[in-house]
Amino acid sequence: MSAKLSASVIIIGLALVGLLAYIFYIQYNKADEYNKIVLSQRQSEYESRTIPYRRGDIYDRNGSILATSEKVYIMILDPAQMVDYEGRKEDGTVQRNVVEPTISAISEFFGDDAAELRSLINSNESSSYIRYKKDISYDQKLEFEAYIEEKNKEYRSSSELAVSKNRIKGIWFEDNYKRNYPYNALASAVIGIASTDGASGSGGVEQYYNEELTGINRREYGYLDGDANLEKVIKPAVDGDSLVLTIDVSIQNTVEKYLNEWKNGEIGSKSAACIVMNPKNGEILAMASTNSFDLNNPRTTGSYTEEEIYKFGLNEAVSDYKLKNPGLTPITTAEVPDHYSREEIMKLGETIAMYQVWRNIPVSDSFEPGSTQKIFTVAGALEENVISKDASFECNGHVTLSDGINSWRINCVNRNGHGLLDVMGGIKQSCNVVMMNIAFAEKAQTFVKYQKMFGFGSMTGIDLPAEANTSNMGFASDDIGRTQLATNSFGQNFNCTMIQMAAAYCSVLNGGHYYRPHVVKQILSSDGALKKDVEPLLVRETVSASTCDFLKNALVETVENGTGKAAKVPGYLVGGKTGTAQKQPRSAKTYVVSFCGFAPAEDPSLLCYVIIDEPSLPGEEAAHSSFASEIFSKIMAEALPAMNIYPSGSTGDAAVSEPALPEAEGDSKQPMGSENVENNNAESEPETGVEILTNNNGEPVYETLDQAETTENKESASDEFIEGNDEGGELPEMHYEANFETISEE
């Protein structure tokens, strides 16, 4: 017994001596090699990795979050680490006890295709960094990590030797951020979208203020010091600044609600849009159109049909072919199918349709404004003392211009004539003849001077991208001809944008101060501290307070007793002006109808401008500005209380009814002096007055006044209205500039 024990002790002792000898051998001969293996495994845990910044948030004026960046994770695969942990069979082949369990774990938990994942790992065995899966939430990450831990625990406790060697390894997570818009489509054109990586914005303030919203990425990395100790260094990211907008979510929601109600209603239109502003400082409280889209799912073609998308694609293919083949003869739309497949054409069309849905109508589109412009014709004449406030004009229903050979008759809104009207009556009854005679009295130089003073023909400088440039769409010089002066006086034959018109009206309402319109109120640092207050920017003074007061009173009269009755708001005294502009070509009989108004009249605190492009009714049935007036009334009835402006109970005696066919604009058949004239004759003529007329033989000469402007038949200087040189030409019916930068999905 003792001999056996002694033998066992000797054997164990020899084994320990042998083990120590082998350890010494390894330490002496292969220390560096094994150190590198161990250290590489340790260092793999601290690979150099990006620490992403967080893009700044966007808030409304009351602190509601409109855009934010949520913490998400990217799953990183490390095939090199997986292979390092693999066991090997006696014949040297790899025992797949890490790769396969890892593949199984990912495919089982996330439902991914195992074959594709296996191919990815096997073809990148030497890689330590593969960005495999994006936008994993914090909860998903925790659940998956718990799942891995549980599976590895099962493997370790397995009674089967082969299974017990299985491990799930080579997976880690990298921080990232995903842009989220809590209100989805609300204020979509104002906010815009951010790219997948948050590095750039497209459209809205996401684009315009991209530099402020963007931060700086930094890195985390590990290294070995001189003693082979692993050191980790973290350089924190610098997060982006946040924006506080002037937008009020409550008012924005109200505006979009009633625009969508119109869009989906019985009549509808090509499009509709609205701006709500604070006239005292140029702040935009709401801006919207029927082009709204989901910011969380922006790549959509909206309501465009396949046929419309195909037409977009044909036109875009013509440009695409010319760009790619500069030395070849350009192709026509009819020839496009010879060079592009239907799939290619549709893809091009879908891109254009998407940009059409994204465009910001109040800023990027221009149009002929119609009679909302009339107060600016009056403003210049009053300011220069060309006319007095008590001046009177006789309206017989039209004005005739002649060059001695041909005659052009420009109609009033009331073809039978208003009779004798003073200046306020001309505004109240929206009389084209009064406006033309006022413009003729102030002459082209003065007229153009004040149009430019109020911002027409120049960009407002609003802090949103792709504001339309209307500098070549009217008022290029102050020597415009008589026919252009006549039609410009009541808002035809020149283009403007909604934001130009709204900013100009604000100047009248606040006593003659023109503020640059803006949508950002404050810029905050990443920790919420105030970094910059965006103060109202006074650009210039326009007209005197007395002129402004007269115009405000005239606008109140327009709603109380003139063409704007449909805009009344129960409990409030409201002012405003209707507009109906006949689009080009005039023969198409399509219209833009609008209303620009304010409340309360005693202290204008909200301006609301509504336009409707091409109401879906035939011909002159569409030329009724009260479509827009009624939307204005609904919006203001909710927006005013939202701004803590409550009804006084002294005005707005009854809610506005909704007739089957809204009243036409400016259709009174009675002269000035007949107070409280009702304008409910829907059969009267719309407010355009731009038809061309006849020559001295009573024969039609031109289809449109624009053609008269471009002929060699200049009107003589002996005409009783005004001298000048005619300049003109066709204006585009709408002007559009893309307001989104192109961004691609990663």
Side-chain angles (χ1 to χ4, degrees):
M1 184 70 180
S2 60
K4 289 182 179 181
L5 181 59
S6 299
S8 297
V9 171
I10 292 170
I11 291 171
I12 293 172
L14 291 173
L16 289 173
V17 170
L19 180 60
L20 290 172
Y22 184 67
I23 291 174
F24 179 79
Y25 169 79
I26 291 175
Q27 180 69 24
Y28 186 79
N29 293 291
K30 295 189 176 183
D32 291 342
E33 180 181 344
Y34 280 95
N35 277 337
K36 288 179 181 178
I37 293 173
V38 173
L39 290 172
S40 66
Q41 291 174 348
R42 290 179 62 199
Q43 192 169 5
S44 67
E45 301 174 11
Y46 298 102
E47 287 285 347
S48 176
R49 66 191 70 176
T50 299
I51 300 177
Y53 66 83
R54 184 177 184 277
R55 189 173 178 86
D57 292 334
I58 300 174
Y59 303 90
D60 92 323
R61 65 186 303 114
N62 300 311
S64 297
I65 296 178
L66 302 177
T68 189
S69 293
E70 297 179 342
K71 187 72 165 289
V72 293
Y73 299 88
I74 301 172
M75 182 189 291
I76 307 299
L77 300 181
D78 187 345
Q81 188 185 82
M82 296 179 198
V83 172
D84 282 345
Y85 276 92
E86 296 278 21
R88 293 186 179 273
K89 296 181 180 179
E90 293 181 359
D91 60 4
T93 58
V94 175
Q95 177 70 41
R96 289 300 199 185
N97 55 10
V98 173
V99 172
E100 286 304 323
T102 302
I103 292 172
S104 297
I106 295 172
S107 60
E108 287 174 12
F109 189 89
F110 291 102
D112 294 0
D113 186 276
E116 291 183 4
L117 181 54
R118 184 177 295 109
S119 176
L120 176 67
I121 292 173
N122 289 341
S123 59
N124 293 277
E125 286 191 349
S126 61
S127 175
S128 294
Y129 185 88
I130 298 175
R131 300 181 73 178
Y132 174 66
K133 184 180 285 292
K134 301 176 183 177
D135 297 339
I136 297 174
S137 70
Y138 179 70
D139 289 341
Q140 282 181 306
K141 173 179 175 289
L142 288 183
E143 289 174 12
F144 185 53
E145 288 174 336
Y147 173 81
I148 291 174
E149 185 177 348
E150 184 63 30
K151 291 295 291 184
N152 281 337
K153 184 178 179 181
E154 289 179 13
Y155 290 142
R156 285 192 297 268
S157 61
S158 175
S159 59
E160 297 181 31
L161 182 60
V163 175
S164 67
K165 293 182 178 180
N166 288 347
R167 296 292 184 273
I168 301 169
K169 290 186 177 293
I171 300 173
W172 52 279
F173 294 92
E174 188 175 78
D175 293 355
N176 199 22
Y177 292 96
K178 180 181 180 181
R179 203 65 164 163
N180 180 52
Y181 302 92
Y183 288 92
N184 296 318
L186 191 76
S188 54
V190 175
I191 297 170
I193 57 177
S195 58
T196 306
D197 61 1
S200 62
S202 190
V205 294
E206 290 274 32
Q207 179 178 328
Y208 194 93
Y209 286 93
N210 185 63
E211 185 175 341
E212 287 78 7
L213 291 164
T214 302
I216 302 173
N217 286 334
R218 292 290 170 83
R219 301 192 71 81
E220 173 186 354
Y221 56 92
Y223 68 93
L224 299 176
D225 64 15
D227 297 323
N229 295 316
L230 186 63
E231 299 290 342
K232 182 171 69 172
V233 176
I234 299 176
K235 289 188 175 295
V238 179
D239 293 336
D241 294 333
S242 294
L243 305 177
V244 177
L245 304 189
T246 60
I247 297 294
D248 185 297
V249 161
S250 175
I251 298 175
Q252 181 75 28
N253 186 64
T254 297
V255 167
E256 294 192 18
K257 176 176 68 175
Y258 288 116
L259 288 179
N260 288 327
E261 179 183 89
W262 166 262
K263 176 183 178 181
N264 300 318
E266 184 178 347
I267 298 174
S269 61
K270 180 179 177 182
S271 63
C274 176
I275 295 175
V276 178
M277 289 182 70
N278 181 346
K280 299 176 181 180
N281 56 19
E283 290 183 350
I284 307 291
L285 300 173
M287 177 183 287
S289 75
T290 50
N291 275 8
S292 179
F293 61 95
D294 187 349
L295 292 165
N296 292 307
N297 185 29
R299 289 170 175 79
T300 174
T301 56
S303 59
Y304 286 108
T305 65
E306 185 174 330
E307 181 182 358
E308 289 172 326
I309 292 172
Y310 186 75
K311 288 181 179 179
F312 283 144
L314 289 176
N315 291 326
E316 183 63 15
V318 171
S319 300
D320 183 69
Y321 183 87
K322 184 177 180 180
L323 181 65
K324 292 178 179 177
N325 303 279
L328 300 180
T329 303
I331 60 174
T332 64
T333 54
E335 295 171 326
V336 167
D338 297 333
H339 301 271
Y340 293 81
S341 67
R342 181 176 179 82
E343 182 180 355
E344 290 172 328
I345 295 170
M346 290 297 293
K347 188 174 181 180
L348 289 170
E350 287 168 0
T351 300
I352 298 303
M354 184 174 68
Y355 277 106
Q356 290 288 334
V357 172
W358 285 358
R359 83 183 193 271
N360 188 1
I361 289 176
V363 172
S364 295
D365 284 5
S366 69
F367 53 93
E368 295 178 79
S371 292
T372 51
Q373 191 275 341
K374 288 177 177 176
I375 66 167
F376 304 110
T377 297
V378 174
L382 289 176
E383 196 69 11
E384 295 292 329
N385 296 315
V386 172
I387 60 169
S388 70
K389 297 172 183 176
D390 299 323
S392 297
F393 303 86
E394 184 72 29
C395 171
N396 64 1
H398 66 271
V399 164
T400 301
L401 301 178
S402 175
D403 64 356
I405 300 174
N406 295 307
S407 297
W408 298 272
R409 190 177 71 180
I410 306 175
N411 293 322
C412 185
V413 298
N414 183 345
R415 305 300 167 85
N416 296 321
H418 290 105
L420 188 65
L421 292 174
D422 62 11
V423 178
M424 185 172 290
I427 295 174
K428 184 170 73 172
Q429 301 301 339
S430 203
C431 179
N432 289 351
V433 170
V434 169
M435 295 304 132
M436 286 187 279
N437 278 286
I438 290 175
F440 296 152
E442 63 182 323
K443 300 188 183 302
Q445 186 174 8
T446 300
F447 176 82
V448 172
K449 170 187 172 182
Y450 279 92
Q451 296 307 302
K452 292 181 177 180
M453 184 80 76
F454 282 106
F456 298 108
S458 60
M459 299 169 76
T460 65
I462 186 172
D463 49 347
L464 288 171
E467 182 179 2
N469 184 351
T470 61
S471 59
N472 62 343
M473 297 186 178
F475 315 128
S477 63
D478 59 8
D479 61 349
I480 58 176
R482 286 175 292 279
T483 51
Q484 185 174 350
L485 179 62
T487 54
N488 286 174
S489 72
F490 54 83
Q492 293 271 190
N493 275 352
F494 77 92
N495 276 27
C496 76
T497 62
M498 285 188 72
I499 192 60
Q500 283 176 330
M501 183 63 73
Y505 261 78
C506 286
S507 174
V508 170
L509 300 180
N510 66 34
H513 311 294
Y514 187 97
Y515 288 101
R516 187 181 73 178
H518 60 285
V519 297
V520 168
K521 187 177 181 68
Q522 293 176 329
I523 299 176
L524 309 178
S525 64
S526 58
D527 59 2
L530 179 62
K531 195 170 182 178
K532 181 181 180 182
D533 243 328
V534 181
E535 299 290 344
L537 178 62
L538 179 62
V539 179
R540 58 183 169 272
E541 304 290 340
T542 52
V543 292
S544 64
S546 62
T547 296
C548 292
D549 289 341
F550 175 83
L551 294 174
K552 283 187 286 186
N553 290 335
L555 292 172
V556 171
E557 273 294 299
T558 299
V559 173
E560 290 294 299
N561 303 304
T563 63
K565 291 180 180 178
K568 286 184 178 181
V569 180
Y572 298 91
L573 188 61
V574 173
K577 185 71 191 74
T578 49
T580 305
Q582 188 174 350
K583 296 175 67 174
Q584 298 192 42
R586 310 299 187 198
S587 58
K589 297 289 185 181
T590 55
Y591 301 88
V592 173
V593 298
S594 60
F595 184 84
C596 191
F598 62 94
E602 57 273 16
D603 180 25
S605 300
L606 284 184
L607 172 128
C608 179
Y609 183 30
V610 178
I611 71 159
I612 299 174
D613 184 19
E614 296 188 24
S616 301
L617 290 171
E620 293 180 358
E621 289 184 41
H624 295 277
S625 61
S626 39
F627 292 137
S629 302
E630 289 171 1
I631 296 175
F632 165 90
S633 177
K634 292 176 180 179
I635 290 171
M636 292 292 271
E638 294 186 20
L640 287 162
M643 294 295 290
N644 297 318
I645 304 168
Y646 297 103
S648 62
S650 60
T651 58
D653 45 318
V656 179
S657 61
E658 296 187 20
L661 180 64
E663 63 190 47
E665 177 179 351
D667 50 11
S668 172
K669 301 294 187 285
Q670 301 189 38
M672 176 65 179
S674 301
E675 299 298 329
N676 300 314
V677 176
E678 295 295 330
N679 296 301
N680 296 318
N681 181 5
E683 300 302 319
S684 65
E685 297 292 343
E687 182 196 351
T688 57
V690 294
E691 290 185 18
I692 290 292
L693 313 121
T694 60
N695 60 20
N696 291 344
N697 297 320
E699 300 167 339
V701 181
Y702 303 107
E703 179 188 4
T704 70
L705 195 60
D706 313 314
Q707 293 171 345
E709 287 281 8
T710 57
T711 66
E712 296 179 359
N713 298 319
K714 304 299 182 182
E715 298 148 1
S716 66
S718 62
D719 186 273
E720 63 177 314
F721 300 116
I722 188 170
E723 298 181 8
N725 298 319
D726 290 321
E727 291 185 2
E730 285 286 320
L731 293 173
E733 66 172 69
M734 296 292 277
H735 175 76
Y736 164 65
E737 293 182 13
N739 67 327
F740 272 69
E741 293 181 349
T742 301
I743 62 175
S744 59
E745 289 188 278
E746 291 187 347

